[in-house]
Each structure stands twice: as C-alpha cells, then as structure tokens.
C-alpha cells in the first residue's frame, strides 16, 4: 500500500545518500517535514542505518584491499586496531562519534577487526538519537511553516534535553 511505496522510495534514496554523501541531516529533516515524526524516524533510521551497514559491507568485501593499503602506514589506525580488539563496541562507538568524515568512519571501521554485530550496535547507538532529533526538528519546522503550531511541542523539548544529556555522557 501507501506505506510500502513511501518506505521503498525513501529507502532507495536515503541508503545511497548515506553511502555517497554521508551527512544525512538534511534528509532526516526533510523526512520529518514530509512524513511527520513517527514515519519520518522509521524511514530515516532504516535508510541511514541500512546505508551505513551497506557501506561497511562494501568496504569489508569489495574495497578491503584498497582501504587497507591507504591506511597501512597510519599510526592512529594501528592504535585503533589494538584498542578495538579489547573493546570493539566502545571503540567503534567512539570512532562513530568522532569528527572524521562519514565515509572515513564507515570505511575505516570496515578494515578493522570489528564484527558486523559490533558495527551495527555502534551505528544504532550513535545514529538513532540523532535521527530522532533531526526528524523531530523537521516535523516541527514543517508544522511551523504550515502554521499549524506556534511553539515547540513537548516531544521536541524532551528530545532536545535528552540529546544534550546523551551528548554530555558520550563526550
């Protein structure tokens, strides 16, 4: 039905965007404007995380030799490789929260000894809170633009405070 059509269209666009561009904030915000909070979060989260996992798998199975060669003399990668063996989810999560470009975070982790499960865990823990925030912000902006609300909703206020607390502990 309509949901399958809408989901398929968003997924086909968000996944490649995540792989090629990396920054999904504009897409998540637009999804909130177009689909509302609930459907926007579902579409954005599946597309964003699906794209990140697909990029990881491309890096792991198709571009492994290329990225390994590019990163073999990098001292920091050697340190990360040692640390990730001891604490794979923690290091993958720290890597995902770093200020590195999205493709380096994804393809860099694909050549390190991190399992797909650990990578997916880090992607969800890192990405889902921001998907919720940006999608809610898009829904709020859409409602403001349409003139249906004049002040931020309580859900949005809770999300903003929650993200700040989350960011404080992660940082």
């Amino acid at each position: 039905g309509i949901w399958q059509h809408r989901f398929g269209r968003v997924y086909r666009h968000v996944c490649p965007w995540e792989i090629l561009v990396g920054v999904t904030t504009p897409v998540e915000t637009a999804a909130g404007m177009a689909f509302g909070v609930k459907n926007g979060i579902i579409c954005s989260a599946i597309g964003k995380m699906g794209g990140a996992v697909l990029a990881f798998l491309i890096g792991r199975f198709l571009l492994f030799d290329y990225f390994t060669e590019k990163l073999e003399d990098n001292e920091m990668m050697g340190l990360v490789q040692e640390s990730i063996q001891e604490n794979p989810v923690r290091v993958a999560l720290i890597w995902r929260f770093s200020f590195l470009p999205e493709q380096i975070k994804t393809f860099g982790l694909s050549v390190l000894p991190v399992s797909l499960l650990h990578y997916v865990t880090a992607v969800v823990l890192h990405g889902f809170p921001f998907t919720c925030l940006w999608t809610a912000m898009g829904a709020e902006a859409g409602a403001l633009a349409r003139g249906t609300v004049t002040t931020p909703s309580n859900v949005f206020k809770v999300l903003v405070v929650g993200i700040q607390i989350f960011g404080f502990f992660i940082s």
Side-chain angles (χ1 to χ4, degrees):
I2 285 183
W3 171 248
Q4 290 174 334
H5 177 68
R6 182 181 291 171
F7 168 74
R9 186 171 18 143
V10 171
Y11 187 75
R12 284 193 312 269
H13 292 91
V14 177
C15 251
W17 181 277
E18 169 69 23
I19 294 168
L20 299 172
V21 180
V23 178
T24 55
T25 304
V27 177
E28 293 164 323
T29 306
M33 289 178 177
F35 305 126
V37 175
K38 180 183 172 189
N39 290 338
I41 287 173
I42 292 169
C43 290
S44 293
I46 291 172
K48 176 182 185 172
M49 292 171 213
V53 170
L54 189 58
F56 176 83
L57 293 173
I58 289 169
R60 173 70 48 98
F61 295 109
L62 298 178
L63 301 172
F64 186 84
D65 293 335
Y66 174 78
F67 288 115
T68 301
E69 180 183 315
K70 292 289 181 190
L71 297 170
E72 71 182 342
D73 295 330
N74 188 309
E75 184 179 329
M76 187 182 342
M77 282 297 286
L79 296 173
V80 171
Q81 191 164 9
E82 291 173 19
S83 298
I84 209 161
Q85 291 175 356
E86 296 172 20
N87 299 301
V89 174
R90 180 182 295 163
V91 174
L93 193 56
I94 291 169
W95 185 276
R96 294 292 302 170
F97 274 103
S98 73
F99 291 107
L100 296 170
E102 193 67 30
Q103 288 82 4
I104 292 175
K105 291 191 274 188
T106 300
F107 293 118
L109 282 170
S110 73
V111 299
L112 291 170
V114 61
S115 72
L116 180 59
L117 178 62
H118 292 145
Y119 179 77
V120 170
T121 302
V123 165
V124 170
L125 289 173
H126 166 261
F128 190 70
F130 293 105
T131 295
C132 293
L133 175 68
W134 293 119
T135 305
M137 188 172 287
E140 292 284 328
L144 286 167
R146 289 187 291 277
T148 56
V149 299
T150 57
T151 60
S153 70
N154 289 334
V155 170
F156 182 71
K157 291 175 187 176
V158 168
L159 276 172
V160 170
V161 170
I163 290 293
Q164 290 174 353
I165 293 168
F166 180 75
F168 176 77
F169 285 108
I170 293 300
S171 297

